[in-house]
Amino acid sequence: MKIIKNYLYNAGYQILLMIAPILTTPYVSRVLGPHNNGINTYTNGWVTFFYLLGQLGISIYGNREIAYKRENKYERSKVFWEIAILQLITSATSLLIYLFVVFLFSTTFKLYFILQALWIIAYGIDISWYFMGLEDFKKTVTRNTIIKIISIFLIFLLVKDKNDLSKYIFLIGFSQLLGSISLWPYLKNSIEWVRLKNINPFQHFLPTILLFIPTITTQIYVIVNRIMLGRMASQGATAQFDFGDRIVKLVLAIVTATGTVMLPHIANKFASGDIKAVKESLYKSFEFVTSLSIPMMLGLMAISDKFAPWFLGNEYILTGKIIYLEAPIILLIAWSNVTGLQYLMPTHKEHEYTISVTTGAIVNIIANLVLISLWKANGAAIATVISEAIVLLIQLNFIKNELDLKEMFSSSWKYFLSGLVMYIAIDTLNSILVMNFLNLIVEAVIGIIIYVSLIYILKAPIIITALNILKNGESMGEN
């Protein structure tokens, strides 16, 4: 049941991340307006490059290495101190470079760039990778939940009009920093001190660099669209895309919570040589994300046109189309999350993973150059879908001789058919009903009833798995 508990912790936090924007996004989108939200998106896009540069690939690498060593406290402690020290050194270097660039080149947005630097500091001292490697998600989720609630309260209290953009940027960055600091006290009984002469942080530098390449290229999908839109279109178009992308990614986060949970679990199985258990966990995980992502994708598409202006305000009518066009990445990333993050990464196939995401990033840039010039924010959404499809296809090609793709996809038609019927029903309701909170709940409940009823009738494997979990306590990752 440990996998299920960890997933519920992680998915529960992702639900909180969804609730938080439900509370704050309509408020912030109206109070700050498209232009100021575009400035925040633009400046945060640049700082993301630098905090990723500082962290290298430590988030995934540290998670995996702790999972490999977690049975031996001394070895685990040694690995922790080495990786943590390396992270501090690289992040401090990145912060200095960032501030130098800001003071040398920035003029109009200098204050906002400086406030965004809090993100580099926050990620520089973030040790959530350690607890994820131990499969201890309770600590990271608990502290993030408390801090997220506090930050929501402060946003409503302090951000009052368009002049409060600097306060908003500071609050978001500071809450991230506070979250990173809050994890350190939990180390007290989990690790032991290791003599400095026995610590060699730089032995991890090359492996983290190798993981940094896919990490930074993956972020290109998040950052480049916004930066290119800011340059090729307008700050308003950037905000339209940003809010649409955020809504899609919030729904996606519930599905991809499995990746964070399964990576250390599979890494530990792989380290012990249990390849059969690795594959069985993958098949179950793939079935789970397929059953969850298809209805989420189609449900979001069905309500997007009315949901966006109702949720964000009438200035964001165009965001509905962006959500509709980009929604397919919910399924594409859910699948590549299993093939890449849950299989290639834990099994030391970083090279293959890097090729897939690097190719996707290159395709993303090329597609953006063409499609943004043609269709502005809509073009950026289409470019994102194309690049994520390329990543998935490449990863499937790499694993086709190691995993049974036919078995992985054999039941997908049942979820697609059920999801399509659900989509038609919700789309019809959405065209008739006025968008409000009550009607949104009605549409969601009806959609869930239709989808679950159909996959039950079609005897989809996820139903059998769910019944086994309820009866025997079996989880999708345990044998």
Side-chain angles (χ1 to χ4, degrees):
M1 293 294 288
K2 186 176 182 181
I3 295 273
I4 297 175
K5 289 179 181 177
N6 283 335
Y7 172 74
L8 290 176
Y9 274 125
N10 209 26
Y13 178 62
Q14 300 304 331
I15 291 171
L16 173 66
L17 290 181
M18 288 185 69
I19 294 173
I22 289 173
L23 296 173
T24 61
T25 299
Y27 178 75
V28 170
S29 65
R30 289 168 171 83
V31 169
L32 296 181
H35 180 73
N36 281 347
N37 277 296
I39 293 173
N40 174 49
T41 300
Y42 181 71
T43 55
N44 186 260
W46 280 107
V47 82
T48 301
F49 277 120
F50 284 90
Y51 73 63
L52 288 174
L53 179 64
Q55 201 181 43
L56 298 178
I58 286 171
S59 181
I60 295 176
Y61 177 78
N63 183 341
R64 189 184 68 184
E65 293 303 303
I66 294 298
Y68 288 155
K69 306 287 187 181
R70 70 179 180 215
E71 311 304 333
N72 185 315
K73 187 176 182 180
Y74 175 79
E75 289 297 322
R76 186 178 76 223
S77 301
K78 183 174 180 293
V79 168
F80 167 78
W81 287 117
E82 288 175 339
I83 296 175
I85 290 170
L86 177 65
Q87 182 177 347
L88 287 171
I89 293 170
T90 55
S91 295
T93 305
S94 181
L95 177 62
L96 291 174
I97 296 171
Y98 174 79
L99 292 175
F100 175 77
V101 171
V102 167
F103 281 105
L104 189 63
F105 296 108
S106 177
T107 53
T108 309
F109 302 145
K110 182 176 289 186
L111 173 62
Y112 306 125
F113 276 117
I114 292 171
L115 292 173
Q116 296 281 13
L118 286 169
W119 286 84
I120 303 176
I121 302 171
Y123 276 95
I125 60 173
D126 178 33
I127 53 169
S128 58
W129 47 266
Y130 174 77
F131 296 99
M132 290 177 184
L134 295 178
E135 295 189 70
D136 184 358
F137 288 83
K138 183 177 180 179
K139 291 183 175 64
T140 56
V141 168
T142 301
R143 60 101 182 186
N144 277 329
T145 299
I146 294 170
I147 290 163
K148 179 60 70 176
I149 292 171
I150 293 172
S151 68
I152 291 170
F153 173 76
L154 290 175
I155 286 170
F156 282 115
L157 182 67
L158 301 175
V159 180
K160 296 294 185 182
D161 55 45
K162 287 182 171 62
N163 297 318
D164 290 333
L165 176 59
S166 58
K167 291 181 183 177
Y168 177 70
I169 293 174
F170 174 80
L171 285 172
I172 299 299
F174 184 73
S175 65
Q176 192 75 20
L177 176 61
L178 195 61
S180 297
I181 293 171
S182 68
L183 273 181
W184 283 82
Y186 290 114
L187 291 173
K188 186 177 180 182
N189 298 317
S190 183
I191 63 168
E192 58 188 56
W193 292 105
V194 178
R195 289 186 177 183
L196 194 60
K197 67 178 183 179
N198 295 329
I199 293 175
N200 180 18
F202 292 102
Q203 69 175 307
H204 301 284
F205 184 71
L206 183 57
T208 57
I209 285 288
L210 294 176
L211 286 182
F212 171 69
I213 297 171
T215 299
I216 193 67
T217 50
T218 300
Q219 289 299 315
I220 285 177
Y221 311 130
V222 180
I223 303 165
V224 166
N225 297 359
R226 291 156 174 78
I227 292 175
M228 293 180 74
L229 268 172
R231 291 290 186 183
M232 297 172 66
S234 66
Q235 298 304 327
T238 305
Q240 295 276 0
F241 174 80
D242 181 55
F243 280 117
D245 183 68
R246 277 200 234 175
I247 290 169
V248 173
K249 295 293 176 58
L250 285 170
V251 176
L252 173 66
I254 295 179
V255 183
T256 54
T258 57
T260 309
V261 171
M262 293 298 288
L263 189 152
H265 177 79
I266 291 174
N268 188 256
K269 293 284 187 185
F270 181 74
S272 64
D274 195 349
I275 304 301
K276 182 180 178 182
V278 169
K279 291 184 177 181
E280 288 179 356
S281 294
L282 258 295
Y283 294 143
K284 290 179 180 179
S285 182
F286 194 86
E287 189 78 26
F288 176 75
V289 301
T290 302
S291 68
L292 201 58
S293 58
I294 288 175
M296 287 185 168
M297 170 187 70
L298 293 172
L300 185 61
M301 291 172 72
I303 66 169
S304 60
D305 60 334
K306 287 187 177 180
F307 177 77
W310 170 75
F311 184 57
L312 299 169
N314 290 330
E315 293 179 285
Y316 297 90
I317 292 174
L318 298 176
T319 303
K321 185 68 171 179
I322 295 167
I323 293 172
Y324 188 91
L325 292 171
E326 194 179 332
I329 71 167
I330 294 172
L331 179 61
L332 295 173
I333 295 180
W335 280 344
S336 64
N337 185 268
V338 176
T339 56
L341 191 62
Q342 295 182 41
Y343 185 73
L344 294 177
M345 294 300 290
T347 57
H348 281 302
K349 292 179 173 59
E350 298 94 338
H351 180 67
E352 290 86 344
Y353 182 77
T354 299
I355 290 173
S356 69
V357 296
T358 302
T359 305
I362 294 170
V363 170
N364 184 252
I365 293 172
I366 296 170
N368 271 320
L369 286 170
V370 176
L371 298 177
I372 289 177
S373 62
L374 292 174
W375 300 308
K376 308 303 180 191
N378 288 343
I382 296 170
T384 302
V385 174
I386 292 172
S387 56
E388 292 296 350
I390 293 296
V391 171
L392 175 64
L393 289 172
I394 293 173
Q395 290 182 1
L396 289 174
N397 183 62
F398 280 132
I399 67 171
K400 66 183 180 182
N401 295 324
E402 299 175 35
L403 298 173
D404 189 342
L405 297 186
K406 185 177 180 180
E407 180 178 344
M408 289 170 65
F409 286 99
S410 61
S411 301
S412 296
W413 69 270
K414 297 180 180 181
Y415 305 115
F416 273 112
L417 179 60
S418 303
L420 184 60
V421 174
M422 179 205 72
Y423 170 84
I424 294 170
I426 296 177
D427 186 57
T428 303
L429 276 174
N430 191 61
S431 65
I432 298 170
L433 300 176
V434 176
M435 177 59 70
N436 56 46
F437 183 74
L438 179 60
N439 287 340
L440 183 63
I441 296 299
V442 169
E443 290 177 27
V445 170
I446 290 174
I448 291 170
I449 291 172
I450 292 172
Y451 182 75
V452 173
S453 299
L454 287 172
I455 62 173
Y456 180 80
I457 292 170
L458 293 172
K459 295 182 172 59
I462 195 65
I463 296 295
I464 299 170
T465 302
L467 292 174
N468 285 336
I469 290 172
L470 292 173
K471 287 180 181 179
N472 309 317
E474 176 190 351
S475 87
M476 63 185 175
E478 294 168 343
N479 300 288

